[in-house]
Amino acid sequence: MPCGEDWLSHPLGIVQGFFAQNGVSPDWEKKVIEYFKEKLKENNAPKWVPSLNEVPLHYLKPNSFVKFRCMIQDMFDPEFYMGVYETVNQNTKARVLHFGKYRDIAECGPQQELDLNSPRSTTLERQTFYCVPVPGESTWVKEAYVNANQARVSPSTSYTPSRHKRSYEDDEDMDLQPHKQKDQHAGARQAGSAGGLQWCGEPKRLETEASTGQQLSSLNFSSPFDLNFPLPGEKGPACLVKVYEDWEGFKVNDVLELYGVLSVDPVLSILGNEERDASALLDPMECTDTAEEQRVHSPPASLVPRIHVILAQKLQHINPLLPACLNKEESRTFVSAFMSELSPVRAELLGFLTHALLGDSLAAEYLILHLISTVYTRRDVLPLGKFTVNLSGCPRNSTFTEHLYRIIQHLVPASFRLQMTIENMNHLKFTPHKDYTANRLVSGLLQLPNNTSLFIDETLLEQGQLDTPGVHNVTALSNLITWQKVDYDFSYHQMEFPCSINVLITSEGRSLLPADCQIHLQPQLIPPNMEEYTNSLLSAVLPSVLNKFRIYLTLLRFLDYSISDEITKAVEDDFVEMRKNDPQSITADDLHQLLVVARFLSLSAGQTTLSRERWLRAKQLESLRRNRLQQQKCVNGNEL
């Protein structure tokens, strides 16, 4: 274990040390960040940091050092806080400087009062993100992170704030005398004034309320608090994340790994509740935030804890089997070692997926290409690298698609199965929209991080009528597939959010949705019991082999790829030759499709440049796929 636990259990003590030594100089903040960076490099230190993803909140000590793997679901307005503030001892008149960074609650000792008029006080700005656990994160990913974490935690006792701890608010007009505050308590605090800088009178009352064990979730809310997860059935904590440095580099839907100070002081929840009660008494012209906005932006700390971020990094991927950053020098050994055994892994994966697809090896080839595809660049509005596959010919009224999705869940880090029924299309919320009353982005099913696998099951679609929301949802899916973007609804305008989502559509005939590639399933066997068949298939694969499949499918997304001038000339000549024999046989779109197939076919073999051999193999696969579709069309008329 890393030597010394103080930085884990009492990070604010470390911060206080740097502030005390360098408080007059702004360098103290950089030294804090460097200190924690160095600590996390020691002895696998990140594994000793408790994670909100794995550890229940009541096991975590308030103001301890924690980490959180999450997606930015929304960004709130920046808030002001007291970077440095001064307290005065009422008896001795001694003055003490304090730091406000990484805190929600101002620390005042006995007989101390805040001097908000002090010329030494500074007001600074921080950004608040509303973060949720990564949507659709696979069970195997969660388990791997749990098994890797070595943090020692135990249930904490109920936390009662010190009688002398006060929250603070950057409001110079506020009367700071405790005896006056008792008389003016209901109207003295401006609701939602400066975001996070709250001053709170009546510490005795707050202490009493907090210590009664009152359940914060049962405070006077008009309705249950919505944690705003994009996908139904998701679990885990949502967090209000306070970021102090470089927040311009982060955007909505980014996946982050955060390290910071956990803030769950019950005073925050009680303040929020009292502010909602008090807001009814305030002059509407003086209260810029609505009650609903206060409710959403200041939820109970027991339900939505706060994290004050010391270190944050954007994650390339969430696969725990790979190094977090693949382009770093220390990751190269891992990558080169895995690439040396890539060929047998691909062969085994092809066999595994062939069994999953009921013996169809051609469909398995295309499924591999689909699973490693990613948008690598955009040319104007056209996303290059997307490879949406429509697997048609799936048996109707069968559990085949359900079990195929189970297989995919075991392979990819994050996924979601959208059951495309008339009821779902008409009633589910697909696109996020802005709620101006609460001033928040209300999530939708398509608010997903990049490289999520979206499995659309069209075999469940029955005859029926799509209403207006249903039509909008189908349009949203079509735009996602075609342009790899989701238009978020801001009422007065639409805002485009580019993405890279792997969409696999299973259908009986040709899908109603657009697709880059349609492959018609040709089962070589029909298992009498799909559940038993899938269970036996999964149990037959060694866990070590399954992990290699998982590494393979994640790693290959990040390989660079290029085509030499020589091969480019050969491809152009080949295209001209094919057009010469039959101008209708291949179009420019067909050539683009061939190049995409050739790209991912090369990468699937660990080759970062196109060879003549892979080009010929891509042509062969496309020929087999087209012939199969043509045969199906001849058999079933216009079905395809």
Side-chain angles (χ1 to χ4, degrees):
M1 182 174 180
C3 55
E5 291 188 36
D6 281 351
W7 67 281
L8 285 173
S9 54
H10 301 291
L12 290 179
I14 303 293
V15 179
Q16 174 62 43
F18 283 106
F19 177 74
Q21 292 172 19
N22 309 275
V24 292
S25 162
D27 288 347
W28 75 271
E29 297 172 90
K30 293 178 183 175
K31 289 180 179 178
V32 168
I33 293 169
E34 283 305 313
Y35 173 88
F36 283 98
K37 268 186 185 174
E38 290 304 311
K39 278 293 177 188
L40 288 172
K41 291 177 183 176
E42 298 175 5
N43 295 337
N44 289 322
K47 293 181 179 179
W48 293 96
V49 180
S51 169
L52 265 74
N53 301 91
E54 287 99 47
V55 181
L57 189 59
H58 63 276
Y59 277 65
L60 297 172
K61 184 180 175 185
N63 296 322
S64 62
F65 192 67
V66 297
K67 63 182 176 181
F68 186 38
R69 185 177 65 260
C70 57
M71 182 190 82
I72 300 175
Q73 190 276 322
D74 196 4
M75 291 182 170
F76 295 158
D77 295 331
E79 64 183 28
F80 296 102
Y81 72 100
M82 295 166 69
V84 175
Y85 60 95
E86 193 169 38
T87 57
V88 184
N89 188 299
Q90 291 177 310
N91 296 331
T92 66
K93 303 303 178 187
R95 290 178 170 267
V96 180
L97 274 183
H98 305 263
F99 68 93
K101 196 172 183 179
Y102 310 128
R103 281 179 170 157
D104 289 304
I105 307 297
E107 296 287 334
C108 292
Q111 306 303 318
Q112 286 186 327
E113 285 296 333
L114 266 169
D115 179 7
L116 290 181
N117 294 314
S118 167
R120 302 169 74 188
S121 296
T122 60
T123 301
L124 300 175
E125 192 179 47
R126 62 191 177 198
Q127 177 67 57
T128 303
F129 297 152
Y130 186 82
C131 293
V132 297
V134 180
E137 191 175 70
S138 298
T139 304
W140 65 266
V141 173
K142 290 182 170 69
E143 289 175 351
Y145 278 114
V146 168
N147 293 336
N149 197 288
Q150 299 172 30
R152 293 174 183 166
V153 291
S154 58
S156 60
T157 55
S158 60
Y159 178 59
T160 304
S162 162
R163 184 184 178 95
H164 301 288
K165 285 184 181 175
R166 297 176 169 91
S167 63
Y168 47 92
E169 186 162 30
D170 189 20
D171 187 349
E172 294 184 358
D173 299 327
M174 190 173 294
D175 192 332
L176 299 179
Q177 297 302 316
H179 67 276
K180 290 185 181 178
Q181 279 216 327
K182 290 183 180 181
D183 299 329
Q184 304 170 357
H185 181 71
R189 240 180 357 252
Q190 297 277 343
S193 59
L197 303 188
Q198 297 173 313
W199 166 265
C200 154
E202 284 198 287
K204 183 173 182 180
R205 177 182 171 191
L206 294 182
E207 178 188 27
T208 306
E209 287 186 0
S211 62
T212 58
Q214 180 181 18
Q215 291 300 311
L216 299 176
S217 58
S218 66
L219 293 173
N220 299 326
F221 288 134
S222 57
S223 60
F225 188 79
D226 174 17
L227 291 178
N228 212 9
F229 293 146
L231 299 178
E234 294 280 282
K235 294 179 181 177
C239 287
L240 283 179
V241 172
K242 315 278 180 148
V243 184
Y244 295 85
E245 281 93 16
D246 304 324
W247 63 72
E248 302 86 356
F250 300 128
K251 59 185 186 298
V252 169
N253 302 339
D254 279 349
V255 175
L256 308 179
E257 184 172 54
L258 309 171
Y259 289 89
V261 180
L262 175 67
S263 175
V264 288
D265 199 308
V267 171
L268 294 170
S269 308
I270 294 160
L271 283 174
N273 189 52
E274 290 178 349
E275 281 169 353
R276 281 185 288 278
D277 294 341
S279 64
L281 305 173
L282 297 175
D283 182 344
M285 296 304 290
E286 295 181 4
C287 182
T288 56
D289 295 348
T290 64
E292 184 63 20
E293 183 171 350
Q294 294 170 38
R295 178 175 179 271
V296 166
H297 289 241
S298 301
S302 62
L303 195 62
V304 182
R306 281 66 163 161
I307 297 179
H308 293 266
V309 175
I310 296 176
L311 298 170
Q313 67 168 337
K314 198 183 301 186
L315 292 180
Q316 273 187 309
H317 62 85
I318 56 166
N319 190 330
L321 305 173
L322 279 78
C325 194
L326 293 167
N327 49 15
K328 285 190 177 177
E329 189 67 39
E330 54 265 31
S331 302
R332 289 186 181 174
T333 306
F334 175 91
V335 173
S336 59
F338 187 80
M339 296 300 284
S340 65
E341 58 171 335
L342 196 84
S343 185
V345 174
R346 188 194 194 283
E348 285 189 78
L349 177 59
L350 181 61
F352 177 71
L353 292 178
T354 298
H355 285 298
L357 292 167
L358 309 180
D360 189 341
S361 59
L362 182 63
E365 285 275 10
Y366 276 91
L367 186 53
I368 288 178
L369 306 187
H370 162 75
L371 290 173
I372 65 170
S373 65
T374 187
V375 175
Y376 59 90
T377 191
R378 291 177 186 266
R379 189 165 296 157
D380 295 326
V381 295
L382 189 66
L384 301 182
K386 72 185 182 76
F387 194 58
T388 299
V389 170
N390 171 207
L391 183 67
S392 60
C394 296
R396 194 172 179 77
N397 301 322
S398 159
T399 58
F400 167 73
T401 52
E402 179 187 336
H403 291 291
L404 177 60
Y405 176 63
R406 263 186 70 202
I407 297 286
I408 290 174
Q409 275 185 304
H410 276 80
L411 297 174
V412 300
S415 62
F416 178 66
R417 177 180 176 228
L418 174 58
Q419 300 180 52
M420 198 171 171
T421 62
I422 293 292
E423 184 180 4
N424 282 347
M425 300 308 289
N426 285 338
H427 294 103
L428 292 177
K429 301 285 188 189
F430 278 33
T431 53
H433 69 275
K434 182 75 172 183
D435 178 349
Y436 286 96
T437 304
N439 190 21
R440 72 164 176 173
L441 183 66
V442 179
S443 62
L445 287 180
L446 299 184
Q447 188 178 4
L448 300 170
N450 285 345
N451 298 323
T452 303
S453 287
L454 179 60
F455 185 102
I456 302 177
D457 192 348
E458 207 179 285
T459 64
L460 304 169
L461 197 60
E462 302 281 353
Q463 286 189 340
Q465 184 69 40
L466 285 176
D467 57 21
T468 303
V471 172
H472 287 161
N473 283 338
V474 171
T475 302
L477 283 177
S478 298
N479 286 338
L480 168 66
I481 291 165
T482 306
W483 308 111
Q484 285 291 308
K485 70 181 179 73
V486 179
D487 294 326
Y488 290 18
D489 182 6
F490 282 77
S491 294
Y492 311 107
H493 66 284
Q494 303 282 315
M495 187 178 291
E496 288 186 3
F497 280 74
C499 57
S500 177
I501 307 295
N502 285 45
V503 183
L504 177 66
I505 309 164
T506 54
S507 59
E508 188 180 16
R510 183 181 186 133
S511 172
L512 302 174
L513 297 167
D516 299 306
C517 171
Q518 181 191 355
I519 174 80
H520 196 79
L521 185 68
Q522 285 190 349
Q524 304 302 304
L525 60 118
I526 304 293
N529 186 315
M530 270 305 302
E531 185 165 1
E532 286 181 10
Y533 180 78
T534 305
N535 289 342
S536 63
L537 178 59
L538 287 169
S539 61
V541 185
L542 291 171
S544 59
V545 174
L546 199 53
N547 281 343
K548 286 179 181 178
F549 294 165
R550 293 161 175 167
I551 294 170
Y552 173 94
L553 293 174
T554 300
L555 179 61
L556 297 188
R557 291 173 182 267
F558 299 101
L559 295 183
D560 292 324
Y561 175 83
S562 61
I563 304 178
S564 67
D565 293 341
E566 182 185 352
I567 293 295
T568 301
K569 180 70 169 62
V571 168
E572 288 172 354
D573 293 344
D574 212 355
F575 178 62
V576 170
E577 194 63 34
M578 287 186 282
R579 294 272 297 173
K580 190 186 297 180
N581 296 335
D582 182 2
Q584 303 301 316
S585 65
I586 186 166
T587 64
D589 287 342
D590 295 330
L591 176 63
H592 174 73
Q593 167 94 340
L594 260 174
L595 287 167
V596 170
V597 171
R599 175 191 182 90
F600 294 121
L601 194 60
S602 300
L603 290 174
S604 75
Q607 298 176 3
T608 56
T609 186
L610 181 59
S611 64
R612 181 71 181 167
E613 178 193 3
R614 292 292 156 194
W615 172 249
L616 293 175
R617 176 61 176 156
K619 284 174 61 179
Q620 181 189 20
L621 285 177
E622 279 293 272
S623 177
L624 290 169
R625 182 183 70 83
R626 289 172 181 279
N627 288 341
R628 184 182 286 190
L629 285 178
Q630 198 60 41
Q631 290 167 12
Q632 192 65 26
K633 195 170 183 179
C634 293
V635 172
N636 294 330
N638 294 323
E639 184 186 343
L640 300 176

